[in-house]
Amino acid sequence: MKMLINVPETVVADALRGLAAAHPELTVDVENRVIVRRDAPVAGKVGLVSGGGSGHEPLHGGFVGPGMLSAACPGEVFTSPVPDQMLRAAAAVDSGAGVLFIVKNYTGDVLNFDMAAELAEDEGIQVAKVLVNDDVAVTDSLYTAGRRGTGATLFVEKIAGAAADEGMPLERVEAIARQVNENSRSFGVALSACSTPAKGSPTFDLPPGELELGIGIHGEPGRERRAMMTSGEIAEAAVEAVVEDLKPRNPVLVLVNGMGATPLLELYGFNAEVHRVLAARGVPVARVLVGNYVTSLDMAGASLTLCQVDEEMLRLWDAPVKTPGLRWGV
């Protein structure tokens, strides 16, 4: 596989150096692998820290800034960051109001964030944790116990980030983050496998003319493998899986997320089909986001995330945000 890299061993460090050059509003510690908004800590504000393996960009480093995360900890490709990174991030953003860890439900992330929370509390930093587990495709997998954390991470980071920027206390920011997760569900589809820099070839075999329904963001297998389907058929399968589990009674936020190698032409077409199926099911749509936000390197495919919202959640979603990967109202 051809890749725009130097050597696999420096891929993450090189990307962080590039992020720093492009976004001087961030403080990027390349050696210790921590990305922090330059104005942190903000007096009286709860700090939001997330992180995970690299390869899902712009998640998480691209969501650091006003209105979202205070800091992010990138691990190696598809590998959890370590507790020392998370402790360093928490210390950098703690203003005395506490820190919320937003953790995707992958075993390494969960264990390391738990350890980091204990270390932070030993240093006098108040820490709360929220686990994101929105994927409806698989209950347990190679990487998780329970449901995987996928696209809803963006909803949690954005809405909880707005709450923190409004000066809400840690307990309230945590409660809102949990509410977002509990009201979100996701389902992903792979049209091709991804290729990690270290392996240099596809991470799993997906024959021509077939797709994988229900994949995770590392390309983990999903519910089933089928012959290639049309965009409309994929939308029907994804919406059915999400809506049957979520059973929304309120309007929903819609995230049509590209997995890294699917062009916007296809994503917007898929979004049209998603809206057709939601309308047929009587599910009202409040807001829509289409693009590559929670990716899997060069995987072709898409994921659908729905989050049913109340008035407060929708207000916080609409609040200004200024990050490399998400920006409006500023």
Side-chain angles (χ1 to χ4, degrees), residues 91-113:
V93 305
D94 179 40
S95 67
V99 174
L100 178 66
F101 283 168
I102 299 173
V103 189
K104 299 189 304 303
N105 190 30
Y106 288 91
T107 301
D109 290 359
V110 173
L111 293 175
N112 287 343
F113 269 104

Side-chain angles (χ1 to χ4, degrees), residues 13-26 28 35 61-62 324:
D14 291 345
L16 290 175
R17 289 191 295 107
L19 179 69
H23 296 284
E25 71 275 16
L26 302 178
V28 181
I35 304 163

Side-chain angles (χ1 to χ4, degrees), residues 117-324:
E118 294 177 4
L119 295 172
E121 288 167 355
D122 288 344
E123 297 197 4
I125 301 171
Q126 184 183 5
V127 174
K129 301 188 298 292
V130 170
L131 188 68
V132 182
N133 56 352
D134 54 303
D135 176 37
V136 302
V138 176
T139 301
D140 295 289
S141 73
L142 177 65
Y143 293 83
T144 64
R147 291 182 167 183
R148 303 175 291 210
T150 58
T153 311
L154 182 149
F155 289 151
V156 173
E157 291 177 355
K158 171 63 185 76
I159 294 174
D165 271 17
E166 288 188 358
M168 294 186 190
L170 179 60
E171 295 78 9
R172 181 61 184 146
V173 176
E174 177 189 4
I176 288 172
R178 292 188 187 280
Q179 181 184 7
V180 175
N181 177 65
E182 289 166 1
N183 283 278
S184 299
R185 302 289 190 277
S186 296
F187 189 86
V189 179
L191 309 183
S192 74
C194 60
S195 301
T196 63
K199 191 171 188 292
S201 60
T203 54
F204 62 94
D205 177 49
L206 186 55
E210 296 186 1
L211 56 75
E212 186 84 29
L213 287 175
I215 49 90
I217 55 174
H218 307 95
E220 312 95 307
R223 286 186 172 182
E224 60 181 308
R225 188 166 289 187
R226 289 190 191 176
M228 187 60 194
M229 301 158 65
T230 66
S231 177
E233 291 168 340
I234 295 171
E236 288 167 3
V239 171
E240 179 182 6
V242 171
V243 170
E244 287 303 309
D245 196 289
L246 182 60
K247 296 179 172 57
R249 293 180 294 275
N250 292 350
V252 296
L253 304 177
V254 176
L255 171 62
V256 170
N257 172 66
M259 302 305 293
T262 302
L264 280 171
L265 180 72
E266 296 176 32
L267 291 177
Y268 279 119
F270 182 57
N271 182 54
E273 296 298 334
V274 166
H275 275 66
R276 173 184 61 80
V277 180
L278 287 174
R281 285 178 166 268
V283 179
V285 174
R287 301 287 187 274
V288 184
L289 193 61
V290 179
N292 290 290
Y293 294 101
V294 184
T295 63
S296 184
L297 292 169
D298 61 341
M299 180 186 289
S303 63
L304 171 67
T305 304
L306 301 181
C307 175
Q308 66 169 338
V309 291
D310 59 21
E311 290 184 3
E312 181 183 41
M313 292 165 67
L314 188 58
R315 178 182 63 79
L316 293 170
W317 174 257
D318 287 339
V321 58
K322 187 178 181 181
T323 71

Side-chain angles (χ1 to χ4, degrees), residues 44-68:
K45 175 189 174 314
V46 171
L48 264 63
V49 175
S50 193
S54 296
H56 306 304
E57 290 73 24
L59 193 80
H60 295 270
F63 298 144
V64 175
M68 285 191 82

